[in-house]
């Protein structure tokens, strides 16, 4: 058993065009580590959606990815406005993104549902006015299984 | 015992499936000054400067030619074949001009003059790659009509993109259209056509010679990228052929040979030509290796799900921007537009519907060959941990002075044991400064005495 590898990325909330960069960096690292395609894909999609959310709604934050031998944990922490009704936010198609962001093709209300779909575990801790922390886990199937 | 010891020790790199890949981009050791221009622009970080000279890691190089474009000392070169390298028995030579060739000439009113010029240069026949491109377009339409294929479909025409996908975007290998690129179909068709026209020629005496805008096509021919050996016998540099052609193209004369290509085939020379020919609005066409990487990254994240077709060209503006072309790619594209204007839409047709025959398909699917840090995940994790530990101690400037493109790449090289910490110039300067100030403090009390 080896110690987990931890990657930390600051997510710049003021730069919409660079959003998604941390997801690409994580993808490359996971691939270099030899994780199966499916795992790499799920982590990078979940992370991408989360990253975009942080930029659209929360002025950025920090993404921490902990790569263990049997699971990958993604923690996205921001000091944004918080989510008032988490259950509603999890509904497909429910959105609060402004029109200018939606015009770019984002904010379709699929971000959080996609994050849940592509991960094995997901928890949202949110306090209105303080910020949101999303914790996601992707379990790694045993090799040869 | 002794002989074993003399062998240079190698870092414990993972076994490399691509080591045998034969490249067409090389470094001229005499011209290389060990500057770092190429480092930063290599899209796969395949270059390191060691001992004052750049070196290319063949396992990572994708023959994009970016380093050739960036090198201020012309120390990177594209390696092509020479006609004199062909086996002696190959006496009948058929030229396969890429459509980008036509865009190189100023005030060309008709493609036929270029084709005639190739005959004047001594070729025994010409088969236009643009003609084969129209056939590929027709098969692509058939392929896209299927409902059981992974979408969006990615073009297989640019060998640099295909190799990039297999190394860096392995999950997208399945999206690459399994139809052979125009160069391959052109070679095969040229051979059949020549044998028909000249029943007296021994088939073994026929050589097909591609006139290439880029080194990547030369690599394609050498490496069986699509599962079987290429049918093409030799690949010449477009710029070399261009200068030879200048002497033999005479616009006053009447060509004896006629182009068999329409707008669609010629359009393949620049970005958007291949995809717009599909008569389907849901396509994306991008060029320039950095843009291509961005698109592939987004495709992997699941964007572009509604697209049917993705055309990606490593070179700016498409094949007209290849590292072996002469003319400014955008000017070449304008010229091709003028040449295309009064041509029929296409001159090669296939009946609608129907299957894509086996003879035009890949012999084997493109294999994913991801670049691994180590053969086992445990070992790779250890290395990654070591890299992450070193990274915060480095300056983070990505200056390239150490000979690696980024601080991260340097950290990896350190872990692999191919460099030492002192190779980081910034760190070295800091430690020298620290040493000096320590000396001054030591000597200070003496002075006051």
């Amino acid at each position: 058993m080896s110690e987990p590898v931890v990657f930390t990325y600051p997510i710049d909330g003021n730069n919409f065009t660079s959003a998604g960069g941390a997801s690409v960096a994580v993808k490359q690292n996971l691939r270099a580590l030899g994780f199966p395609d499916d795992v790499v894909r799920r982590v990078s999609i979940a992370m991408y959606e989360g990253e975009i959310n942080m930029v659209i709604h929360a002025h950025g934050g920090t993404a921490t990815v902990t790569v263990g031998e049997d699971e990958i944990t993604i923690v996205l922490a921001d000091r944004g406005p918080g989510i008032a009704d988490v259950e509603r936010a999890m509904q497909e198609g429910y959105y609060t993104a402004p029109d200018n962001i939606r015009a770019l093709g984002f904010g379709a209300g699929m971000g959080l549902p996609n994050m849940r779909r592509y991960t094995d575990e997901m928890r949202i801790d949110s306090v209105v006015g303080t910020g949101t922390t999303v914790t996601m886990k992707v379990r790694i199937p045993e090799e040869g299984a | 015992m002794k002989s074993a010891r003399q062998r240079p020790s190698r870092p414990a790199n993972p076994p490399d499936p691509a080591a045998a890949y034969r490249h067409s981009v090389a470094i001229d050791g005499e011209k290389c000054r060990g500057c770092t221009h190429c480092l930063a622009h290599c899209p796969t970080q395949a270059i390191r400067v060691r001992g004052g000279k750049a070196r290319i890691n063949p396992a990572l190089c994708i023959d994009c030619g970016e380093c050739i474009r960036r090198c201020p000392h012309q120390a990177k070169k594209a390696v092509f074949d020479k006609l004199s390298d062909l086996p002696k028995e190959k006496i009948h030579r058929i030229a396969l001009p890429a459509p980008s060739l036509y865009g190189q000439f100023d005030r060309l009113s008709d493609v036929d003059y270029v084709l005639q010029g190739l005959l004047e240069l001594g070729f025994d026949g010409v088969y236009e790659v643009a003609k084969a491109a129209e056939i590929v377009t027709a098969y692509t339409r058939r392929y896209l009509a299927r409902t059981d294929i992974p979408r969006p479909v990615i073009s297989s025409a640019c060998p640099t993109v295909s190799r990039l996908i297999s190394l860096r975007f392995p999950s997208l290998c399945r999206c690459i259209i399994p139809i052979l690129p125009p160069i391959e179909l052109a070679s095969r068709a040229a051979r059949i056509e020549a044998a028909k026209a000249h029943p007296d020629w021994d088939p073994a005496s026929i050589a097909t010679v591609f006139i290439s805008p880029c080194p990547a096509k030369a690599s394609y021919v050498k490496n069986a990228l699509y599962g079987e050996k290429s049918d093409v016998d030799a690949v010449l540099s477009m710029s070399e052929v261009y200068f030879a052609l200048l002497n033999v193209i005479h616009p006053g004369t009447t060509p004896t040979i006629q182009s068999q290509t329409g707008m669609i085939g010629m359009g393949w020379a620049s970005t958007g030509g291949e995809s717009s020919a599909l008569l389907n609005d849901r396509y994306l066409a991008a060029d320039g290796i950095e843009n291509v990487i961005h698109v592939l990254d987004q495709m992997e994240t699941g964007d572009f799900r509604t697209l049917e077709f993705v055309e990606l060209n490593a070179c700016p503006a498409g094949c007209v921007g290849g590292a072996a072309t002469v003319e400014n790619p955008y000017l070449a594209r304008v010229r091709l537009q003028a040449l295309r204007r009064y041509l029929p839409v296409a001159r090669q047709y296939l009946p609608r519907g129907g299957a894509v025959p086996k003879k035009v398909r890949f012999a084997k699917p493109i294999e994913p060959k991801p670049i691994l840090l180590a053969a086992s995940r445990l070992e790779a994790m250890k290395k990654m941990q070591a890299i992450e530990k070193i990274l915060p101690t480095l300056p983070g400037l990505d200056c390239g002075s150490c000979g690696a493109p980024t601080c991260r790449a340097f950290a990896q090289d350190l872990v692999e044991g191919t460099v030492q910490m002192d190779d980081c110039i910034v760190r070295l300067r800091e430690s020298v400064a620290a040493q000096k100030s320590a000396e001054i403090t030591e000597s200070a009390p003496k002075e006051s005495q």
Side-chain angles (χ1 to χ4, degrees), chain B residues 10 28 30 42 72 99 171 187 201 208-209 219 249 265 299 306 311 329 346 368 380 411:
Chain B
R10 285 179 161 271
D28 183 334
E30 280 183 19
C42 175
S171 70
S187 178
W201 289 1
T208 55
V209 180
S219 297
I249 290 184
M299 272 183 82
T306 54
E311 174 190 341

Side-chain angles (χ1 to χ4, degrees), chain B residues 242-277:
Chain B
Y242 166 81
F243 287 110
L245 277 171
L246 279 186
N247 299 319
V248 296
I249 290 184
H250 304 296
T253 55
T254 312
T256 58
I257 180 168
Q258 269 195 341
S259 168
Q260 296 173 50
T261 309
M263 289 173 90
I264 283 182
M266 302 255 290
W268 274 64
S270 63
T271 304
E274 178 189 0
S275 40
S276 62

Side-chain angles (χ1 to χ4, degrees), chain A residues 3-4 27-28 31-33, chain B residues 168 297 300 373 377 385:
Chain A
E3 267 180 68
K27 178 173 76 180
Q28 278 178 0
R31 200 155 267 156
L33 289 170
Chain B
R168 252 188 84 172
D297 266 324
E300 269 198 333
L373 202 51
R377 197 188 303 157
Q385 223 145 27

Side-chain angles (χ1 to χ4, degrees), chain B residues 57-81:
Chain B
N57 179 350
L60 301 183
C61 175
I62 54 172
D63 295 286
C64 64
E66 203 62 20
C67 55
I68 299 178
R69 288 190 196 98
R70 303 287 179 172
C71 181
H73 310 293
Q74 285 80 48
K76 309 286 188 311
K77 52 190 180 187
V79 184
F80 289 98
D81 301 317

